[in-house]
Amino acid sequence: MSAWARLLAHNPLKVLIACLLVLAAATVWGLGIFDRLTNGGFEDPEAESSRIITEAKKHFGDTNPDLVVLYKNHHGSINDPAVLSKVQRDIQAIPSSEYTQVVPWYATKDSPLVNQDGTAGMVLITLAGADEDAKLVNYQAIVDQLQVDGLETHVSGMYPMFDEINTLATNSIYKTEIIAIPVVFLLSIAIFGSLVAALMPTIVGVAAIVGSFALLRMVGYIADVNVFAVNE
């Protein structure tokens, strides 16, 4: 330990440069964490319930829709020919590679997917994809196509929720750190009365943030890292 202390004490400039290089590398590497975050991890794939679900999908397919799209016509019936034409055109324009099944209200007469006054109808969509991340990508690719001019449109389901969580998590991190770091720096100046001393808590805080991001990205290559991990 004493030899290590002497090495640091006798080479302060080299130690400082080495620390700055490591910090810069961790920053560049750590910011890539957002590409490694996953939206799954809520179920144990080895659990009995998970295995039953997997076997059921093999024999019966994925019977649970991933998206429920609600269309509301404020000017008349949802089954108006002009309305149906627009909805059918937009739904049929979705690339078949993005979904495995679409069940629209207009596929059957007296569909239970239409409300009582006949002004709103639902379209159920099962997304293509082997896991949550693949399905999220497909959702993001088609969400704009689900909007129909002249109709009030609502898209619900697990993947709209994941997309919103990812957006909020990313934005909240940026906003929090942009506000917190300058505040810490200003408070440090007021407390320590020295610019150099005030830089220490700020540098340590920044190093802790980018260091944790870098470590999380490394973990992401050997295990799933959920999007909530960056907020912990």
Side-chain angles (χ1 to χ4, degrees), residues 85-142:
S85 176
K86 291 193 294 184
V87 175
Q88 289 173 339
R89 179 196 64 210
D90 288 3
I91 295 297
Q92 291 172 359
I94 298 174
S96 58
S97 60
E98 311 289 356
Y99 66 89
T100 59
Q101 186 179 39
V102 174
V103 181
W105 81 87
Y106 50 79
T108 58
K109 187 177 181 180
D110 300 325
S111 172
L113 300 178
V114 178
N115 67 344
Q116 291 184 346
D117 64 7
T119 59
M122 292 187 292
V123 177
L124 310 181
I125 300 176
T126 303
L127 296 167
D131 54 30
E132 288 89 350
D133 293 320
K135 288 192 173 189
L136 179 60
V137 170
N138 288 333
Y139 162 73
Q140 292 169 336
I142 70 171

Side-chain angles (χ1 to χ4, degrees), residues 143-165:
V143 62
D144 291 336
Q145 294 177 263
L146 298 175
Q147 304 297 321
V148 176
D149 292 338
L151 297 179
E152 180 182 342
T153 305
H154 299 278
V155 184
S156 64
M158 182 182 298
Y159 296 96
M161 179 189 70
F162 281 159
D163 190 46
E164 187 70 17
I165 288 174

Side-chain angles (χ1 to χ4, degrees), residues 24 27 71 85 89 179 191 199 207 228:
T27 301
Y71 294 104
S85 176
R89 179 196 64 210
I179 294 172
I191 294 171
L199 282 172
F228 293 108

Side-chain angles (χ1 to χ4, degrees), residues 21-70:
L21 289 174
V22 171
L23 181 61
T27 301
V28 174
W29 172 260
L31 291 178
I33 178 61
F34 297 101
D35 295 329
R36 303 298 307 174
L37 298 176
T38 66
N39 295 283
F42 298 108
E43 302 91 12
D44 179 3
E46 299 302 322
E48 186 175 349
S49 58
S50 298
R51 295 201 301 269
I52 291 173
I53 292 174
T54 301
E55 289 300 316
K57 287 182 178 180
K58 287 181 181 178
H59 291 85
F60 306 109
D62 194 348
T63 57
N64 294 322
D66 297 309
L67 303 178
V68 178
V69 188
L70 175 67

Side-chain angles (χ1 to χ4, degrees), residues 206-229:
V206 171
I209 293 169
V210 299
S212 63
F213 282 1
L215 288 174
L216 283 173
R217 186 178 180 185
M218 292 176 63
V219 173
Y221 283 96
I222 59 176
D224 290 338
V225 178
N226 192 271
V227 65
F228 293 108

